[in-house]
Amino acid sequence: MATHAYITRLNIGGNYCGHDPAKPNLALVQPAKKGKGGLPRVLTLCTERVTGYFYRPRKVLPSLDLANGSDRQQRSERREACIKLLAALLKYTDLVSLRVGVPTPTGFMSYTVDYIAKDTGMTLKRVERAMADLKAASLITVSQPRQLLSSENWRGLAAVKAISRDLFGAFGLATMLKRERDKASKRLRKKAQQWDHEANNEPPTRTGKARFSLFIRTLATDLNHKTHHQKNQPSAFKASDQPEYQKQLMLKAAEIKQAHMDWDKDKCYEEAKKQLLGPSTARA
């Protein structure tokens, strides 16, 4: 059996990951741009305040400090990893949906874990452990969408990662978040109209803007109605009636409407259900 010479490794406080408890590395490889043309202030401010978790974990984000089910304080290298990953996720967060990715003319594109990991400067395994901690603390949600290739074959798409509003609330940014999301929604509507006009080679029209605004308001009304109906149900309900599902359905329908401005609400909803649940479930 082949052997190799023993290599001495230096551990200065972490699990051989280069972590120094006295000098934590909390910066991204390429920090988010601030100011004009940069990241919205609510995202950069949240990123700045997250760093306080390293020094006062139980007071700043108790759910994350207790994510591993132990009363002991989370290890410093684990705290460092969670902070860096949160900074990377916030850097790529779309304010309208709070998902990690970017809206495109053909729908929302979620960023992969591999892509995000490069910006943290950490190994993929370390990023995945931090991702699990953030998910256990309910600071982010992660879901795995699939695409039907044939009658029996499915392809996994990039996992949809979304930041919880509770993270902003923990740092006193809930009101600011709402204000910035409203602004971001207006910017997205203008961009969607521009995409539609470019695709159809048509000049902007007031009628087209009004139609899209009406569509968005209708989706919001439907969501509120279904959520209220679900809360008053005395018995168990199906997964498709849950508020989180209805919210995701509304967002997906809005994305589809951006790509197909000539589709009506029912057609957008039908396609959204197919993409979220698969064709067979959507027909149920």
Side-chain angles (χ1 to χ4, degrees), residues 44-91:
T44 58
L45 194 56
C46 187
T47 302
E48 293 169 6
R49 295 183 180 181
V50 161
T51 59
Y53 174 71
F54 185 85
Y55 305 99
R56 296 181 299 168
R58 192 61 56 93
K59 184 175 182 179
V60 175
L61 292 173
S63 64
L64 181 56
D65 191 35
L66 297 169
N68 61 358
S70 171
D71 289 333
R72 296 182 61 185
Q73 182 172 280
Q74 189 181 44
R75 291 175 63 90
S76 61
E77 68 269 19
R78 197 85 165 215
R79 299 200 301 271
E80 179 186 79
C82 288
I83 291 170
K84 293 183 73 171
L85 179 57
L86 268 177
L89 293 173
L90 287 167
K91 177 181 176 180

Side-chain angles (χ1 to χ4, degrees), residues 2-272:
T3 61
H4 60 80
Y6 175 75
I7 301 176
T8 302
R9 295 191 296 170
L10 179 64
N11 183 358
I12 57 177
N15 296 324
Y16 297 102
C17 61
H19 169 68
D20 183 351
K23 298 178 181 179
N25 177 13
L26 307 178
L28 297 178
V29 176
Q30 292 184 338
K33 183 180 178 181
K34 301 180 181 180
K36 187 175 181 180
L39 213 60
R41 180 55 177 159
V42 67
L43 296 178
T44 58
L45 194 56
C46 187
T47 302
E48 293 169 6
R49 295 183 180 181
V50 161
T51 59
Y53 174 71
F54 185 85
Y55 305 99
R56 296 181 299 168
R58 192 61 56 93
K59 184 175 182 179
V60 175
L61 292 173
S63 64
L64 181 56
D65 191 35
L66 297 169
N68 61 358
S70 171
D71 289 333
R72 296 182 61 185
Q73 182 172 280
Q74 189 181 44
R75 291 175 63 90
S76 61
E77 68 269 19
R78 197 85 165 215
R79 299 200 301 271
E80 179 186 79
C82 288
I83 291 170
K84 293 183 73 171
L85 179 57
L86 268 177
L89 293 173
L90 287 167
K91 177 181 176 180
Y92 296 116
T93 293
D94 167 54
L95 271 181
V96 177
S97 62
L98 292 184
R99 286 178 293 174
V100 181
V102 59
T104 72
T106 57
F108 193 88
M109 183 183 74
S110 297
Y111 289 141
T112 64
V113 176
D114 289 4
Y115 181 83
I116 297 169
K118 292 178 181 178
D119 216 18
T120 66
M122 301 187 297
T123 64
L124 184 57
K125 286 293 184 181
R126 195 178 179 201
V127 168
E128 290 174 343
R129 287 193 294 267
M131 187 83 73
D133 286 342
L134 297 177
K135 185 178 178 182
S138 297
L139 297 179
I140 66 171
T141 58
V142 182
S143 59
Q144 181 64 64
R146 299 182 301 166
Q147 181 182 40
L148 182 64
L149 299 179
S150 63
S151 58
E152 298 180 354
N153 298 316
W154 293 82
R155 181 183 68 177
L157 304 176
V160 177
K161 295 159 283 293
I163 302 293
S164 171
R165 286 178 294 181
D166 293 339
L167 176 64
F168 297 89
F171 296 113
L173 299 173
T175 301
M176 186 178 184
L177 175 66
K178 184 181 184 306
R179 183 169 62 249
E180 292 301 319
R181 292 187 74 186
D182 290 341
K183 293 179 182 178
S185 296
K186 293 179 181 178
R187 293 194 296 268
L188 181 59
R189 282 196 290 269
K190 290 182 180 179
K191 187 178 293 185
Q193 291 162 4
Q194 181 181 353
W195 287 335
D196 182 56
H197 300 145
E198 291 174 352
N200 296 291
N201 196 25
E202 297 176 354
T205 64
R206 294 179 63 184
T207 302
K209 293 179 181 179
R211 282 202 305 265
F212 188 75
S213 296
L214 178 61
F215 178 83
I216 294 298
R217 288 198 300 270
T218 303
L219 290 183
T221 301
D222 287 350
L223 174 62
N224 291 333
H225 173 73
K226 292 178 180 179
T227 301
H228 175 75
H229 176 68
Q230 180 270 320
K231 287 181 178 178
N232 289 280
Q233 284 182 332
S235 58
F237 49 89
K238 297 185 295 184
S240 60
D241 292 326
Q242 295 177 359
E244 182 60 27
Y245 167 78
Q246 297 297 341
K247 181 175 70 174
Q248 294 298 326
L249 182 63
M250 185 190 76
L251 293 171
K252 178 60 68 175
E255 292 173 12
I256 293 170
K257 180 65 175 179
Q258 293 168 15
H260 304 281
M261 295 296 287
D262 57 325
W263 288 14
D264 61 19
K265 184 187 70 173
D266 292 336
K267 189 170 182 179
C268 290
Y269 261 127
E270 182 181 357
E271 181 61 26

